[in-house]
Amino acid sequence: MKIIFINALRVLMLFIFIFSCGISCVVYEDTLVDWWIPVGVVLIVVIATIPFYKGWIWLTTMDDKVINCCCHLVCVGAISCVLFLGGNYWFADSASAHEEEVMVQNKYIETHKKSRRVGRHRYVPDGVRKEYYLQVTFENGNVETLHVSPSTYNKTKTGRSKILTLQKGLFGLPVITKGL
C-alpha cells in the first residue's frame, strides 16, 4: 500500500510541475516584466530553501546529493514561479486600473508546420499553425511584443494607437487585463 501511495505522489508531483510551468508561461505573456526578474526571484527562493534538499528523497529514492538538489531546483523553481507570477496577476489591485494608449509599431504572423504521427517512426505534414503578434510602444518608451488573438490582430492597424487596460500587480509588476 505504501508503494502505491508513493507512486501516486510522484505522479501528482509531475502533474504539479507541468501545470506550474504552463500557468507560468500563460501569465508571463500578460505581465509586463523583463525575463530576468521572475528568474531572479525563483533563484532566490531555490537558493534560500536548498538546505531542505533531503526532503526530495521520497521522490528520487536516492541519497545522492546532486540528484536531490536538481529535483529541488526543478520542483521548487516551477512552484515558486507560478506563485510569483500568478500571485502578481490574480491579486492585482483593481483600484489601480488605468488605460494606456500604445502605438502599434509592427504586426506579424509566425507560421509553424504541424505534423501527425502515422507510424512508429513516421510523421506526415498536417497543415500549419499561426501565431499572431503585435509590437507596441508604450508611453514611457518601452517596446513590447504581445501575443494576440486572430480577431485582435485583424482589427489592429500598424501605425495606429490601441488602448490597453493595465493594473498594478500584487508585487508591483504591471499586468494587462483588457485590450488583447
Side-chain angles (χ1 to χ4, degrees):
M1 185 67 179
K2 185 177 180 182
I3 294 173
I4 294 172
F5 180 70
I6 294 294
N7 287 337
L9 283 178
R10 288 180 182 143
V11 170
L12 179 66
M13 194 63 214
L14 178 66
F15 175 75
I16 290 171
F17 170 74
I18 292 170
F19 183 76
S20 296
C21 290
I23 295 296
S24 295
C25 289
V26 169
V27 172
Y28 177 76
E29 284 186 351
D30 289 338
T31 305
L32 300 176
V33 63
D34 292 328
W35 66 269
W36 57 269
I37 293 175
V39 170
V41 170
V42 166
L43 284 177
I44 289 171
V45 170
V46 168
I47 291 171
T49 59
I50 202 74
F52 304 112
Y53 75 92
K54 288 183 182 178
W56 296 100
I57 292 175
W58 66 270
L59 184 67
T60 61
T61 65
M62 294 183 226
D63 288 331
D64 189 8
K65 184 177 184 178
V66 174
I67 291 179
N68 287 326
C69 284
C70 290
C71 183
H72 177 79
L73 172 78
V74 169
C75 294
V76 172
I79 292 169
S80 62
C81 187
V82 77
L83 290 176
F84 175 69
L85 288 174
N88 183 67
Y89 183 78
W90 292 311
F91 298 111
D93 184 18
S94 58
S96 69
H98 68 282
E99 291 184 343
E100 188 165 329
E101 189 172 332
V102 296
M103 185 62 68
V104 179
Q105 297 296 324
N106 189 13
K107 61 186 224 175
Y108 62 94
I109 301 172
E110 284 185 1
T111 305
H112 303 280
K113 294 180 182 177
K114 293 190 324 185
S115 62
R116 62 185 170 90
R117 187 174 177 170
V118 294
R120 188 170 191 165
H121 297 288
R122 188 158 172 246
Y123 293 87
V124 295
D126 193 29
V128 295
R129 175 178 49 92
K130 295 182 179 181
E131 293 181 0
Y132 301 89
Y133 294 95
L134 296 177
Q135 186 177 23
V136 298
T137 304
F138 287 87
E139 292 172 352
N140 61 3
N142 288 346
V143 178
E144 294 284 333
T145 302
L146 305 174
H147 186 263
V148 295
S149 66
S151 61
T152 303
Y153 180 84
N154 290 332
K155 291 176 189 174
T156 307
K157 305 266 190 246
T158 303
R160 297 238 176 123
S161 62
K162 181 159 183 59
I163 305 272
L164 297 178
T165 303
L166 302 175
Q167 290 182 357
K168 187 177 181 182
L170 179 66
F171 300 115
L173 304 174
V175 294
I176 302 171
T177 55
K178 263 183 11 186
L180 296 180

